[in-house]
C-alpha cells in the first residue's frame, strides 16, 4: 500500500479548511486510493511542525504553535522526502506569497509533487516554471493548480482534458472574480457604481482595499494561468488590462477611505458605458479572455447581449466558457458556480491531491 | 515505457470518431503519458480484427472488413490481454447493446479496463455491476463512463471528485437530452407542441422514432447512472418517469407515421401546462433529478422560473446542476454545453482512456 505524506504550508482560512477536509476523508481515501494518507508537516509564516507518524486531527493547531520550530521550507521538503522515500510526497502551498513558489523546483528535485491555489506561481516568471518543469520531468513530480482559477470548479482539469484529447482551443473567456461578478450582476443603469462597490465591500465580497479587485490584477493572473495551460507563453506584462480604478485614485498614497469617498466622482463614466450597452439590449461585464486565434489575452469591461451566459449570472458566481473546435462559439462548454470561498477552494486543492496520488508512479 | 493496447468495439459514428481522435493524438499521448498507445483490436457486430503491432490509421476500416474474422468478444479479450501481459489493456465499448456489457466482468477478470458511452451497463442490472466491481477490485481494472451522461461534458468526473473530496451531494438535476432540450427551448405557448417535435425530427435531432426520446427512457438511464455514482442503488423500475408519449400512441403497433399524424390531438394538453407555467412567469422543462435527501429519482416535466439556468438554455445544450453541502441550492455547480454529437462523445470517451492510462498501476 502506497504511503502518502502531505505537507500543508499556510494553514489560513483555506489551508485550515483543507486540513479538516483531509482528516474527515482519511478513511475513505484509504479505501478509494488503496493508500495510507498522512498529514505529516504543517508550516505557517513563523513555525513548522513535522511528525512522520501523522499529525493529530485533534491537536494540529496547538502542535504547530507549541511544538513548532522556526520555519524553513527547504528543511520541510527534506524532512518530507526523507521520511517517506518510497512513497508519495506532496507539498500543498496554501499561501498567496512568493516564498513558497520559489522553492517548488527544489521540491520537484526531491520528487515531491506540488499542489497549490497560489496564483503567484502559475502567473509568475516563466523561467521559474521552466525550471520546475525540467526538474519535475526528471523526478516524476507533478504540479496541479485547479484552485488557482474558479476555486473548486472544474476549470483547469476541463481545459487539460480538452487539450489532451486533441481538441483545438479557440477561446477561453470568463467572469473570473466573484467580487466583480457581484458588482456587475448588481449594477444597473439606475444605480450609482460607487454604491454597488460600497455594498460589496460591506458584504465582505471585496478585499479590504477594493482596488485590489477593481484593478483587475487578480483576474489577470487567472488569465495568464489559463493562457499558459493552452500553450500560450504569455505573462502579466503582455496582457491588455482595463483597470476599473480611476487613475487619479490608483496611488497607494490614496487611502482606502479616500478612495471610497472619491469614487462617486467617477460614477458618471461608468453610467455612460452602461447606458450605451443598455441602448443595444446589452449589459456590461468584466471579462478575462484568452484568444488563441489572435494569441492575445485581455481583461476588460465588455458589453454582452442579455441572452449571453455572462449576462445571466447572479450573486458572486464565476462562469467560464471554453470555445473549441468541438465546442464552437454558439455552443461552448460552460462551467459555472461559486469561484471563491474556503470550502470550495479547499475542495479544488483536495481533488488535485487525489489526482496526484492516483497518478503517482511508484505504487 | 508502459505499453497500452486498446480495443474498440463498435466503430460506428462515435466509435469511428474516437478511432480518428486516437490516431491523431498518438504522438502527443506518448509524450504526455510516457506510454506507447496502440489500437490493436477492432470489432463490429460481425467481424473483428486484431493486430498486436497496432492497426494502421490508413487501413483500419478495410482491415476490419477484409482481414476480420467472425466476432467473438471473449476471444477479443483473450487476445488483448495475452498480447500485452505486462502493459495496460483497455476495451472501449462504443455499442449501445447488451452483448458487450455482459462481458465486462470477463474483461475485468483479465485485468482489462473498460471505458464506455454505453448506458446499458451503468443503468443495467445491479448484479452485473457488482460482479464487475468484485472482479475489478481483485485485478485492478477500472471502469469509466464519462460519455454516458452529457457526452464530453465533465459530468461524471465532477460528481466523482465532489464525492471523493468529502462533499455531500444533495441533488443532481439536469436537462440530459439534447433532443428534449431543443424541443422545450423552442416550444412556447404560441406554438403547437407537435410542430416543434416535427421540426426537431426534420432537423435530425430526434431518433428516427421520436417516441424513443419522448418516452424519457434515455434520460432515465442517465438519471440511474448519476444516482448510482452518488451511492443510491436504484434502478430503472424505481424511477418516477413522466413519458411525453400519449398512452394511446405508445404501442409499438402504432407506426412512426401514425404517431406523428396523431400527435397534434394532444397539443392542447401540453399547451395548458405551458400556459399555467407562463402565468407564473415560468417555463416548462423536461428534467431528470437525483434527490439524495429523499433518496428518490425522477424524470418529469417541471415548471421553472425564467431566471433558472434550465430556462436560459438554447439549442440542444445539456445542463447539469450539482447541489451539495459546499455548493448550496442558490449557487450550485453548473456544467453546460452540447451533450450529444460524435466528436464530443468520442472526446468524453478519450478523456476516460487517458485517465485509465494515467492511473494504471503497473508502470
Amino acid at each position: 500500500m502506497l504511503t502518502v505524506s502531505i505537507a500543508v504550508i499556510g494553514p489560513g482560512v483555506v489551508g485550515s479548511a483543507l486540513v479538516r477536509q483531509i482528516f474527515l476523508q482519511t478513511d475513505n481515501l484509504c479505501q478509494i486510493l488503496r493508500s495510507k494518507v498522512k498529514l505529516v508537516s504543517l508550516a505557517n509564516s513563523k513555525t513548522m511542525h513535522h511528525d512522520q507518524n501523522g499529525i493529530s486531527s485533534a491537536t494540529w493547531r496547538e502542535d504547530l504553535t507549541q511544538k513548532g520550530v522556526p520555519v524553513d521550507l527547504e528543511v520541510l521538503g527534506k524532512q518530507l522526502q526523507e521520511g517517506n522515500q518510497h512513497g508519495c510526497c506532496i507539498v500543498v502551498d496554501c499561501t498567496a506569497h512568493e516564498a513558497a513558489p520559489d522553492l517548488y523546483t527544489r521540491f520537484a528535485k526531491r520528487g515531491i509533487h506540488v499542489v497549490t491555489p497560489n496564483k503567484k506561481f502559475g502567473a509568475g516568471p516563466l523561467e521559474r516554471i521552466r525550471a520546475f518543469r525540467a526538474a519535475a520531468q526528471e523526478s516524476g513530480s507533478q504540479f496541479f493548480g485547479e484552485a488557482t482559477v474558479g476555486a473548486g470548479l472544474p476549470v483547469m482539469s476541463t481545459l487539460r482534458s480538452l487539450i489532451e484529447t486533441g481538441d483545438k482551443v479557440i477561446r477561453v473567456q470568463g467572469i473570473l472574480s466573484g467580487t466583480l461578478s457581484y458588482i456587475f450582476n448588481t449594477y444597473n443603469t439606475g444605480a450609482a457604481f460607487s454604491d454597488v462597490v460600497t455594498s460589496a465591500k460591506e458584504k465582505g465580497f471585496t478585499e479590504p482595499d477594493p482596488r485590489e479587485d477593481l484593478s483587475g490584477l487578480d483576474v489577470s493572473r487567472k488569465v495568464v494561468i489559463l493562457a499558459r495551460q493552452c500553450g500560450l507563453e504569455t505573462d502579466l506584462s503582455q496582457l491588455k488590462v482595463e483597470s476599473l480604478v480611476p487613475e487619479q485614485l490608483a496611488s497607494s498614497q490614496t487611502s482606502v477611505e479616500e478612495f471610497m469617498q472619491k469614487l462617486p466622482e467617477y460614477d458618471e463614466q461608468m453610467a455612460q458605458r452602461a447606458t450605451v450597452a443598455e441602448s443595444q439590449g446589452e449589459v456590461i461585464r468584466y471579462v478575462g479572455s484568452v484568444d488563441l486565434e489572435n494569441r492575445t489575452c485581455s481583461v476588460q469591461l465588455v458589453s454582452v447581449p442579455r441572452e449571453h451566459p455572462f449576462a445571466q449570472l447572479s450573486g458572486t458566481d464565476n462562469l467560464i466558457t471554453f470555445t473549441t473546435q468541438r465546442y464552437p462559439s454558439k455552443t461552448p462548454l460552460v462551467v459555472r458556480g461559486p469561484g471563491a470561498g474556503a470550502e470550495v477552494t479547499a475542495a479544488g486543492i483536495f481533488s488535485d491531491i487525489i489526482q496526484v496520488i492516483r497518478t503517482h508512479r511508484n505504487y
Side-chain angles (χ1 to χ4, degrees), chain A:
Chain A
M1 190 179 273
L2 180 73
T3 298
V4 181
S5 299
I6 299 176
V8 173
I9 304 174
V13 183
V14 168
S16 301
L18 175 67
V19 168
R20 281 193 301 273
Q21 289 183 9
I22 293 173
F23 281 133
L24 282 170
Q25 274 301 87
T26 302
D27 291 347
N28 288 337
L29 287 186
C30 178
Q31 215 191 332
I32 299 169
L33 302 170
R34 305 185 193 190
S35 306
K36 180 132 194 60
V37 178
K38 289 187 287 192
L39 178 68
V40 300
S41 300
L42 279 170
N44 60 29
S45 55
K46 293 185 190 113
T47 59
M48 64 183 194
H49 173 59
H50 179 88
D51 183 341
Q52 195 48 45
N53 297 316
I55 292 172
S56 152
S57 64
T59 58
W60 66 273
R61 275 190 193 283
E62 295 82 340
D63 287 352
L64 178 57
T65 46
Q66 287 163 20
K67 298 184 190 167
V69 297
V71 68
D72 181 331
L73 296 183
E74 270 208 73
V75 174
L76 177 142
K78 188 164 181 287
Q79 284 177 329
L80 189 68
Q81 178 210 11
E82 289 179 353
N84 184 18
Q85 299 207 6
H86 304 289
C88 169
C89 299
I90 308 170
V91 160
V92 185
D93 169 21
C94 294
T95 73
H97 309 123
E98 293 282 0
D102 277 342
L103 284 170
Y104 289 179
T105 301
R106 302 274 182 112
F107 296 148
K109 282 185 177 154
R110 293 183 179 278
I112 297 170
H113 307 294
V114 177
V115 171
T116 189
N118 185 345
K119 292 181 278 288
K120 299 270 167 72
F121 180 71
L126 276 166
E127 278 316 309
R128 189 166 64 185
I129 293 176
R130 288 191 191 116
F132 175 85
R133 277 193 202 138
Q137 175 79 11
E138 189 89 2
S139 69
S141 299
Q142 298 187 76
F143 171 83
F144 285 104
E146 181 63 86
T148 54
V149 182
L153 301 176
V155 176
M156 298 301 285
S157 55
T158 296
L159 188 52
R160 193 165 51 241
S161 176
L162 291 171
I163 295 166
E164 285 180 351
T165 60
D167 204 351
K168 300 279 173 289
V169 179
I170 296 166
R171 223 167 20 253
V172 182
Q173 290 191 292
I175 297 197
L176 299 166
S177 151
T179 310
L180 292 162
S181 177
Y182 173 84
I183 287 175
F184 287 100
N185 297 342
T186 309
Y187 180 57
N188 59 52
T189 48
F193 185 71
S194 58
D195 284 346
V196 179
V197 174
T198 303
S199 124
K201 187 173 188 300
E202 283 168 3
K203 289 194 155 105
F205 292 162
T206 69
E207 297 294 325
D209 183 346
R211 287 174 293 184
E212 286 183 32
D213 302 296
L214 295 169
S215 73
L217 178 58
D218 177 67
V219 175
S220 301
R221 287 206 176 93
K222 292 171 184 170
V223 167
V224 168
I225 290 170
L226 290 167
R228 288 174 175 176
Q229 179 84 10
C230 297
L232 192 61
E233 297 222 317
T234 188
D235 65 36
L236 281 175
S237 67
Q238 294 179 48
L239 250 63
K240 194 174 125 196
V241 181
E242 177 180 0
S243 169
L244 301 179
V245 180
E247 220 180 307
Q248 299 87 332
L249 306 181
S251 157
S252 59
Q253 302 201 316
T254 307
S255 71
V256 176
E257 276 187 357
E258 197 180 338
F259 166 73
M260 294 303 289
Q261 216 166 30
K262 292 197 174 160
L263 192 57
E265 296 171 19
Y266 302 86
D267 281 342
E268 185 52 28
Q269 285 179 20
M270 192 62 85
Q272 278 174 14
R273 297 185 65 165
T275 306
V276 170
E278 199 186 32
S279 71
Q280 295 163 334
E282 301 196 332
V283 294
I284 48 174
R285 291 290 184 268
Y286 197 65
V287 175
S289 300
V290 179
D291 177 342
L292 277 305
E293 280 179 319
N294 300 305
R295 302 187 76 73
T296 56
C297 299
S298 64
V299 174
Q300 57 191 335
L301 212 52
V302 298
S303 182
V304 296
R306 289 196 179 280
E307 311 79 58
H308 192 284
F310 290 157
Q312 298 170 344
L313 273 186
S314 58
T316 59
D317 270 8
N318 283 19
L319 188 146
I320 297 94
T321 63
F322 303 91
T323 306
T324 72
Q325 201 168 53
R326 294 178 193 147
Y327 294 99
S329 56
K330 281 196 177 169
T331 54
L333 193 167
V334 182
V335 174
R336 167 181 170 175
E343 288 299 324
V344 292
T345 305
I349 302 166
F350 199 0
S351 70
D352 279 348
I353 292 173
I354 291 172
Q355 180 68 357
V356 161
I357 298 170
R358 201 166 249 154
T359 58
H360 179 77
R361 299 280 160 110
N362 308 307
Y363 277 95

